[in-house]
Amino acid sequence: MTERRLPDGRVELVSTARVEASPLYNHDLAPVPLSRRTWSTYNYAALWISMAHCIPTYMLASGLMASGMNWKQALVTIVLGNTIVLVPILLNSHPGTKYGIPFPVFARAAYGTLGSNVPALMRALVACGWFGIQTWIGGEALHTFFTAMIPGWPALLGPGFGGHPTTEWLSFLLFWALNVFIIYRGMDLVRKVENWAAPFVLVMTTILLWWAVRNANGLGPLLSHPGKFRSFAEFWPVFVPSLSAMIGFWATLSLNMPDFTRFGRSQREQMVGQVVALPTTMAVFAAMGVMITSATAIIFGQVIWDPVVLVGKFTSPFIVAVSMFTVVVATVAVNIAANVVSPANDFANAFPRFISFKTGGLITGVLGILIQPWKLLADPSGYIFTWLLGYSGGLGSIAGVLIADYWFVRGRELRLEDLYLPGGVYRGWNIRAIAATAIGCALAWGGLIVPALKPLYDFAWFVGFFASAIAHIALAPRGASAAPQPASVQTRTI
């Protein structure tokens, strides 16, 4: 008897002796025992609320409106994209809760124990880019805070380089260090940060919205702006890549949600928490960003999309301090949960005996600097149509394989112990899964090279997802889902 199964379908290992002796095992990748699966509906709702309450979400509508949309079209695009991406998020969340395993271990079922490093490292590199982006934003918030509190702060340490003063670089590194510190304290601290950050950021943003509307005596000109599209034919070519980019915004989490759902008390609780929180929070927070920005056009005579720049307009050090603290909290919450937990596990999966969760987090931090996030954020159109849209095709291709393998090829049944054994049924490389992923990526990214395939690139996530899923099912050996299951013992909850 190797597994214990509850009536609700959740599984744990009866004994971990064999897997603990395996070179594919370390403490951070281990299956979570049922006794430690304690995350509730609130924990998952708070996770998504805290992740969605971030500066990129606040500014998301700005890039869409800059491309010609009015505020209604921008918000509909955001809501639709987040509702669509919720589907693969929930489908990939299921194995995490059922087996208590993180994303890179789950990927071993489809790609093989060695092949899983391909999707894991692809996901990790995207997360490193996001980590850099969020850390730069958090550093800007600290820089604004120090500017309000310390006279002459921007010029205190010299002119710096790259168009940024030395003190701004120092603020960036200080915020970077804060993120690394939290990771070194482990997942329990991550959960606590998410739990209290979610309501705090929402309350503070509501207060900022109240202030903006009150001082502008209304909502300002952006809400009456008609947009530049006069017909559906003009709107469609911009809407399609924009929708793919909105899906790309959380395409990362659509892969690695098992990193969080492995701590879930039940499938129902993790599903309800995510369904309630993700689409609604993204819509509300993006709408708040539009309304506050619209009011700034009246209050300051210019449209200010960046809340860090907006707060910098205030003269009261107290208001600046509280506001920047809110930005720091929001940015830390999303950065740790969305951009560090997954790559830390992913790097650990590549070398389980040498890289721990903490070491993986440090690698993520270093790569986040090397990616030079200040350049990614310099151009809003490049941020949406190059960064978000570009990587969505690759991650969609991985999601297609994972979902097709778990739900269709294997019928939701995995051999938990074998996921950690180099000689188990998932050993080595599953070339069929790699080939299916390559097919999805080739079709999704082909438009960057072949002009005739440009329409496929506009649908990058969709093309990658469906092409890889269909290819994986077609390439899967017959009877793959009928493999004998390990002996198990049924238990009942008391």
Side-chain angles (χ1 to χ4, degrees):
M1 295 184 294
T2 61
E3 294 180 354
R4 178 182 294 110
R5 292 176 176 245
L6 291 184
D8 64 6
R10 290 183 300 155
V11 179
E12 72 172 349
L13 290 178
V14 174
S15 171
T16 59
R18 287 189 69 197
V19 299
E20 288 179 9
S22 169
L24 298 176
Y25 173 94
N26 71 27
H27 174 74
D28 300 307
L29 298 175
V32 178
L34 292 170
S35 61
R36 288 183 51 221
R37 301 186 201 179
T38 58
W39 285 38
S40 64
T41 298
Y42 176 77
N43 293 135
Y44 288 105
L47 176 71
W48 272 114
I49 292 171
S50 62
M51 287 196 296
H53 284 165
C54 61
I55 305 303
T57 301
Y58 180 100
M59 299 172 62
L60 203 55
S62 66
L64 298 179
M65 295 177 73
S67 69
M69 293 187 186
N70 61 37
W71 70 273
K72 292 180 181 178
Q73 292 167 336
L75 289 183
V76 167
T77 303
I78 291 169
V79 171
L80 182 58
N82 282 276
T83 302
I84 292 172
V85 81
L86 186 61
V87 175
I89 285 174
L90 294 177
L91 292 175
N92 278 332
S93 292
H94 189 278
T97 303
K98 181 173 182 177
Y99 294 99
I101 52 176
F103 158 64
V105 174
F106 168 51
R108 292 173 183 176
Y111 288 88
T113 53
L114 294 177
S116 64
N117 289 308
V118 173
L121 293 178
M122 285 176 65
R123 166 66 179 95
L125 290 176
V126 172
C128 290
W130 268 117
F131 176 84
I133 288 172
Q134 293 284 3
T135 304
W136 182 257
I137 290 171
E140 286 185 321
L142 280 182
H143 183 65
T144 302
F145 169 72
F146 291 141
T147 300
M149 303 300 292
I150 303 174
W153 169 258
L156 193 62
L157 299 177
F161 57 92
H164 302 281
T166 304
T167 49
E168 188 170 5
W169 292 110
L170 177 61
S171 299
F172 170 61
L173 292 176
L174 286 173
F175 188 79
W176 181 93
L178 174 62
N179 284 267
V180 173
F181 169 76
I182 293 175
I183 279 298
Y184 267 71
R185 294 295 300 273
M187 282 295 291
D188 285 339
L189 181 58
V190 171
R191 181 178 65 166
K192 292 175 182 176
V193 169
E194 304 301 325
N195 283 348
W196 73 266
F200 175 77
V201 174
L202 180 59
V203 169
M204 295 306 295
T205 309
T206 302
I207 292 173
L208 180 61
L209 175 61
W210 170 82
W211 169 86
V213 174
R214 181 174 178 271
N215 282 272
N217 296 315
L219 292 174
L222 285 184
L223 300 189
S224 59
H225 191 275
K228 74 175 186 181
F229 303 118
R230 293 166 296 184
S231 67
F232 182 79
E234 292 180 356
F235 174 67
W236 183 253
V238 174
F239 168 73
V240 169
S242 298
L243 180 64
S244 293
M246 294 308 102
I247 294 172
F249 194 84
W250 290 123
T252 50
L253 270 294
S254 72
L255 299 183
N256 76 279
M257 272 310 292
D259 290 334
F260 301 97
T261 59
R262 63 177 172 150
F263 299 102
R265 293 194 304 200
S266 71
Q267 296 287 5
R268 181 181 181 278
E269 287 190 271
Q270 61 91 356
M271 289 179 63
V272 171
Q274 296 192 78
V275 170
V276 168
L278 172 57
T280 54
T281 304
M282 288 293 292
V284 169
F285 205 62
M288 283 181 164
V290 170
M291 290 186 284
I292 293 170
T293 302
S294 185
T296 63
I298 295 176
I299 299 170
F300 298 107
Q302 63 181 115
V303 175
I304 303 174
W305 281 102
D306 189 338
V308 176
V309 175
L310 171 59
V311 172
K313 296 284 187 179
F314 295 120
T315 56
S316 167
F318 174 76
I319 293 177
V320 172
V322 172
S323 301
M324 286 302 96
F325 178 74
T326 304
V327 172
V328 168
V329 168
T331 308
V332 165
V334 68
N335 216 18
I336 297 298
N339 307 322
V340 182
V341 170
S342 176
N345 285 330
D346 297 338
F347 290 127
N349 183 70
F351 303 100
R353 289 302 188 191
F354 304 100
I355 299 179
S356 66
F357 177 78
K358 295 176 181 179
T359 307
L362 182 60
I363 294 172
T364 301
V366 172
L367 291 177
I369 296 175
L370 297 178
I371 285 174
Q372 304 181 64
W374 48 92
K375 292 186 177 181
L376 281 175
L377 285 170
D379 177 16
S381 63
Y383 165 67
I384 288 182
F385 296 108
T386 301
W387 170 244
L388 290 178
L389 180 58
Y391 77 65
S392 72
L395 298 191
S397 300
I398 297 170
V401 169
L402 292 176
I403 290 171
D405 186 80
Y406 180 72
W407 289 89
F408 296 98
V409 176
R410 304 188 189 277
R412 296 178 295 171
E413 293 296 332
L414 304 178
R415 294 189 179 191
L416 181 53
E417 190 176 59
D418 281 40
L419 290 169
Y420 295 87
L421 301 178
V425 296
Y426 309 112
R427 61 186 176 274
W429 295 77
N430 185 346
I431 300 301
R432 291 181 293 271
I434 300 293
T437 305
I439 291 171
C441 289
L443 291 174
W445 292 335
L448 293 174
I449 302 172
V450 182
L453 297 179
K454 179 60 169 62
L456 295 182
Y457 180 70
D458 290 341
F459 288 90
W461 185 87
F462 296 97
V463 171
F465 179 86
F466 287 107
S468 65
I470 293 170
H472 185 69
I473 293 172
L475 294 172
R478 297 291 173 243
S481 61
Q485 293 302 307
S488 64
V489 55
Q490 299 287 336
T491 65
R492 293 185 177 275
T493 54
I494 300 176

